[in-house]
Amino acid sequence: MDRKEPMYYLRQDGDQADLPKKVYLEPTSLCNLHCSICFRHGWIGETTGHMELWRFHALAEELASLGCVEEIFFGGMGEPLFHPDICRMIAALPEGKKISLLTNGTLLTPERSRALLDAGLSELWVSMDGFEKPVYESIQSGSRFDRILANLQAFNEARAGTDVRLCVTFVVTPENVGQLAQINAFADRFQVDELNISHMIPGAPVSRADMLYERADIPVGRMRRFSPCAGPVEEHVCPFISRNAVFVRWDGKVVPCMQLLHSCETYLYEEKRRITSFSYGRIGEQTLMDCWRSPAYAEFRERVRIFYFPFCTICWGCEDRKENLMDCVYGEAPTCGACLWATGKVFCP
């Protein structure tokens, strides 16, 4: 029997047009913090740097002609505001697109806030993993809680009277889970429009109980206000592929998702996993649409949409789950059966 017979599929692809809608752009892979929960600590053979402006402008020029792209999101694994030309990059993007940016907030000075708004920023996401000074500073190492609060206040003053949104992302850990009781008050104080709550990708062995994945009072995903009543999570669905998203790394490589952005070592509970990054072309050598339409990338998106992978997060039967290079169903890299984004436990804005 053909092992790709439809009876094996979890779902069939619908009528959704196969065109990119959201472009995650990593302007830099450098960061000025050393957060304890960041899986940058487990990077394998990764180099760092800023995106070259000629490469960015090649992408920006193409995005101007792509009506299918609705949002450009500056994020990735570096701190976007660390790029010296970040405001000029935002200003160079085509009008009519939603422009979002995720920052740790340390470089969000009053002058930078005004410059971001003048450049055309639509939405700012700020990473806040604690709402009290000791907890926040123990996780977001190198930052200062009081400075972040002042920066947020300055950003609110700058965006007053505009449609620019302020959003907060929070990563749940055993150390900060108690802080969730304060997230709504914090959101009210700083006029936060939206929250994104996610479990973490472990960078060290963590027991199943300590990962908090099964707690019903911790919903994950995007919401207006935190509610201690979690709904059902959508499992075996890639939040990037299902939303027609694509990543462009700082070096121009075109990558399908956050999981495959950089090679690193992470953990599936107590078990170490080795993640190898995968790309399907490079901006400056190909256009974004040439990369998107490449047979290998199109075939990968098809596999992910039907989720033709074993469920490695609940199966402990073989060694394949320890890497993303092979699995017991399809057998072709990259494999997604042990990806925590696809379990509904980890969620990016």
Side-chain angles (χ1 to χ4, degrees):
M1 178 183 295
D2 182 356
R3 60 180 178 169
K4 290 193 70 176
E5 171 117 15
M7 65 177 289
Y8 282 80
Y9 292 176
L10 275 180
R11 64 184 59 81
Q12 296 292 331
D13 197 11
D15 297 328
Q16 174 180 247
D18 186 28
L19 294 170
K21 292 183 178 179
K22 183 171 184 175
V23 176
Y24 286 90
L25 181 58
E26 184 181 59
T28 180
S29 59
L30 296 165
C31 189
N32 60 329
L33 295 186
H34 303 280
C35 299
S36 61
I37 61 175
C38 183
F39 53 91
R40 292 170 58 94
H41 300 303
W43 273 3
I44 303 171
E46 290 289 315
T47 56
T48 57
H50 296 316
M51 179 174 283
E52 298 167 285
L53 287 182
W54 70 266
R55 199 183 302 277
F56 167 78
H57 285 299
L59 177 62
E61 183 177 347
E62 182 181 4
L63 291 174
S65 67
L66 292 179
C68 56
V69 174
E70 301 168 356
E71 180 179 4
I72 298 135
F73 193 108
F74 287 88
M77 287 302 296
E79 166 53 47
L81 298 187
F82 210 47
H83 195 295
D85 297 302
I86 187 63
C87 292
R88 283 190 286 272
M89 294 169 83
I90 293 172
L93 291 171
E95 294 184 3
K97 311 287 188 186
K98 179 181 179 181
I99 310 299
S100 305
L101 184 146
L102 172 62
T103 177
N104 58 39
T106 56
L107 304 177
L108 190 67
T109 62
E111 296 76 18
R112 181 63 61 82
S113 290
R114 290 191 292 270
L116 289 169
L117 297 176
D118 290 343
L121 186 71
S122 309
E123 183 176 82
L124 184 75
W125 285 87
V126 179
S127 176
M128 292 292 301
D129 296 322
F131 305 108
E132 295 175 311
K133 182 182 177 71
V135 178
Y136 171 86
E137 293 185 358
S138 70
I139 295 174
Q140 296 188 240
S141 179
S143 185
R144 293 293 177 266
F145 186 68
D146 294 339
R147 180 188 303 165
I148 298 302
L149 299 190
N151 289 349
L152 289 177
Q153 183 60 40
F155 182 79
N156 273 335
E157 292 171 1
R159 73 176 177 125
T162 73
D163 295 328
V164 177
R165 287 159 42 90
L166 174 63
C167 309
V168 163
T169 180
F170 180 92
V171 178
V172 181
T173 74
E175 292 73 30
N176 71 2
V177 62
Q179 297 283 290
L180 281 173
Q182 302 182 46
I183 195 169
N184 288 337
F186 184 89
D188 289 338
R189 176 182 175 185
F190 290 98
Q191 306 164 55
V192 173
D193 296 289
E194 197 164 1
L195 304 170
N196 184 84
I197 298 176
S198 173
H199 290 291
M200 71 172 178
I201 300 287
V206 182
S207 71
R208 283 178 175 263
D210 286 340
M211 280 313 303
L212 311 172
Y213 288 164
E214 310 308 322
R215 277 187 47 174
D217 60 334
I218 306 176
V220 292
R222 291 171 66 157
M223 59 200 75
R224 296 295 179 184
R225 285 294 183 268
F226 172 79
S227 172
C229 180
V233 298
E234 193 173 23
E235 294 190 66
H236 310 126
V237 175
C238 173
F240 303 106
I241 299 296
S242 67
R243 293 171 175 81
N244 287 34
V246 60
F247 281 73
V248 179
R249 281 180 22 148
W250 69 275
D251 55 5
K253 291 183 178 179
V254 175
V255 179
C257 63
M258 190 70 165
Q259 172 82 103
L260 301 177
L261 196 61
H262 294 282
S263 296
C264 62
E265 287 184 344
T266 63
Y267 283 79
L268 180 58
Y269 303 111
E270 298 96 336
E271 188 173 69
K272 183 184 290 187
R273 295 193 69 231
R274 184 183 180 97
I275 305 300
T276 300
S277 65
F278 278 82
S279 61
Y280 294 92
R282 190 177 189 186
I283 301 300
E285 298 172 6
Q286 297 99 16
T287 67
L288 178 64
M289 287 308 300
D290 284 343
C291 298
W292 180 271
R293 290 172 175 148
S294 68
Y297 193 3
E299 190 274 340
F300 174 71
R301 291 196 302 276
E302 178 190 7
R303 269 195 291 142
V304 175
R305 286 195 179 108
I306 60 178
F307 214 78
Y308 194 67
F309 303 102
F311 304 156
C312 300
T313 55
I314 60 174
C315 174
W316 303 91
C318 71
E319 297 293 295
D320 292 344
R321 66 188 180 276
K322 294 184 178 180
E323 295 192 66
N324 65 336
L325 300 178
M326 179 66 66
D327 66 37
C328 61
V329 174
Y330 194 78
E332 182 175 329
T335 65
C336 303
C339 176
L340 291 174
W341 276 271
T343 65
K345 296 178 173 64
V346 175
F347 201 87
C348 293

